Amino acid sequence: MSVESIVQSTRIVLASRPDGAPTADNFRLEAVNLPDPADGQVLIRVIYLSLDPYMRGRMSAAESYAEPVEIDEVMVGGTVGQVVDSRHPDFEAGDYVLGYAGWQSHAVVDGNHLRALDRDGAPLSTAVGVLGMPGFTAYSGLLRIGQPKAGETVVVAAASGPVGSAVGQIAKQKGARAVGIAGGPEKCAYLLDELGFDAAVDHRSPNFAEELRAACPDGIDVYFENVGGAVAAAVLPLLNLYARVPVCGLIAQYNDTETPEGPDRLPGFFSRVLVKSLTIRGFIQSEFVSEMYADFQRDVSGWIREGRFAYREDVVDGLENAPAAFIGLLRGSNFGKLVVRVAEEN
């Protein structure tokens, strides 16, 4: 690129680590000039940015499965972009790609970390949603760890979100009974009317535990954990002998800064694990990519084409609105897969 063609990127960096729930002050919007791509690199303009709960953990310096975002570094995130300039043999200007460029309008990235996208297939935004990491999280965690069988009851928390909604629908494809837990009548109606769940329970109801029990008269064989907290406490007594619990997320606890008050419930929890011979396994979707990703793309793409699988996106326009949208995500304000439209598609 010549001096006249220098590309300036707008980006959002981590300004400070949150103490409890993130606030707008934890983020900073800034502009930087990007270098020319070197051999093997690609300059992309970001079109869609995925916002996901795991990002809260990356804002903290606490031990986790991935390194934290450092202060003054760009916030991480999956992205769909278009190639502007390429010095990688597999990509040329105009190509659409899936990557991990984070919260910025443009980025110079290693071409080996990109995957080409077919714009003539599903909408581009689905590459960071139902056909991307959230969808694969549901597919791999449920099928590898949950292993639902026909006639069993599968319960999923945060069921109207991108992972939970996919879990319930995959369970139905396998002949299981799907029970979703969501916040509010509108989201519960969505599970029943549009996604085909067998039952939906509102965790905001004052009678939540009793309503969950009524929705699961034969107990729970698979519980896909996205939330933790009070939801998990209501599920635990209903788990059947040999129940399986894939642990994907604990969004109810992400902003906690100290141990919750009350009695130590750990002995009771482990007693339940022992008495019911429970299988409880945490996982990160990346560990299953090599063996399951191709099957995931084939199965879910096919179900969508056949009209047997639905999804919903919550699209926010403008990179500058990403912090507020993310803060809302942690409060459950979104409805569907939360995506920031950073730029228009060409």
Side-chain angles (χ1 to χ4, degrees):
M1 283 182 286
S2 66
V3 174
E4 291 77 13
S5 64
I6 287 176
V7 172
Q8 187 176 75
S9 177
T10 301
R11 65 185 193 176
I12 295 175
V13 303
L14 181 64
S16 60
R17 300 204 184 279
D19 181 15
T23 69
D25 292 337
N26 298 130
F27 304 93
R28 185 175 69 249
L29 182 70
E30 61 183 32
V32 296
N33 291 333
L34 296 180
D36 293 347
D39 288 342
Q41 292 185 324
V42 175
L43 169 66
I44 64 170
R45 69 178 188 97
V46 174
I47 300 172
Y48 295 108
L49 164 66
S50 175
L51 296 183
D52 301 284
Y54 77 84
M55 295 171 178
R56 174 61 184 86
R58 302 293 295 275
M59 297 175 72
S60 170
E63 181 182 2
S64 184
Y65 60 85
E67 292 297 316
V69 176
E70 296 298 333
I71 301 299
D72 298 329
E73 280 191 354
V74 176
M75 283 291 297
V76 296
T79 54
V80 170
Q82 186 176 31
V83 175
V84 176
D85 188 15
S86 175
R87 295 191 64 184
H88 189 284
D90 293 342
F91 301 101
E92 59 184 30
D95 288 347
Y96 291 94
V97 292
L98 175 67
Y100 202 64
W103 297 28
Q104 52 189 337
S105 65
H106 297 77
V108 174
V109 297
D110 185 338
N112 292 329
H113 297 161
L114 299 175
R115 181 166 68 87
L117 296 175
D118 179 9
R119 195 183 183 190
D120 295 328
L124 287 174
S125 56
T126 61
V128 289
V130 65
L131 294 177
M133 182 273 290
F136 183 63
T137 297
Y139 183 93
S140 60
L142 180 64
L143 297 186
R144 174 52 59 88
I145 302 169
Q147 300 180 14
K149 301 174 182 62
E152 289 190 326
T153 296
V154 175
V155 173
V156 57
S160 66
V163 175
S165 61
V167 166
Q169 292 181 91
I170 295 168
K172 294 291 293 181
Q173 298 294 335
K174 299 302 179 179
R177 182 170 180 270
V179 177
I181 300 171
E186 184 183 6
K187 291 182 178 180
C188 287
Y190 169 68
L191 299 181
L192 298 172
D193 299 340
E194 297 188 43
L195 301 187
F197 278 59
D198 296 285
V201 185
D202 185 352
H203 68 77
R204 297 174 182 170
S205 168
N207 302 312
F208 166 62
E210 292 81 1
E211 291 168 4
L212 179 63
R213 183 180 295 275
C216 304
D218 298 321
I220 298 171
D221 301 293
V222 181
Y223 172 53
F224 197 100
E225 176 64 285
N226 287 319
V227 174
V231 170
V235 167
L236 185 62
L238 305 180
L239 293 174
N240 289 332
L241 187 67
Y242 305 125
R244 289 81 69 195
V245 182
V247 181
C248 171
L250 300 166
I251 195 170
Q253 300 163 216
Y254 286 167
N255 292 327
D256 289 352
T257 57
E258 57 186 26
T259 302
E261 294 182 1
D264 181 3
R265 294 183 174 85
L266 199 58
F269 170 77
F270 276 114
S271 175
R272 197 74 180 178
V273 171
L274 176 61
V275 170
K276 290 294 184 178
S277 297
L278 304 179
T279 297
I280 300 174
R281 184 190 185 304
F283 74 101
I284 307 301
Q285 53 82 28
S286 56
E287 63 187 286
F288 301 124
V289 167
S290 62
E291 53 187 306
M292 299 184 73
Y293 197 80
D295 290 344
F296 156 70
Q297 287 288 328
R298 179 200 65 218
D299 289 347
V300 178
S301 295
W303 294 334
I304 291 173
R305 285 194 304 271
E306 295 164 5
R308 299 162 58 195
F309 203 97
Y311 64 93
R312 181 170 183 156
E313 294 178 334
D314 190 338
V315 180
V316 173
D317 281 303
L319 180 64
E320 69 279 5
N321 294 316
F326 177 68
I327 292 168
L329 168 70
L330 297 177
R331 295 196 299 257
S333 301
N334 62 300
F335 195 165
K337 174 69 192 86
L338 186 57
V339 177
V340 176
R341 183 159 41 213
V342 180
E344 295 294 333
E345 301 179 24
N346 283 341

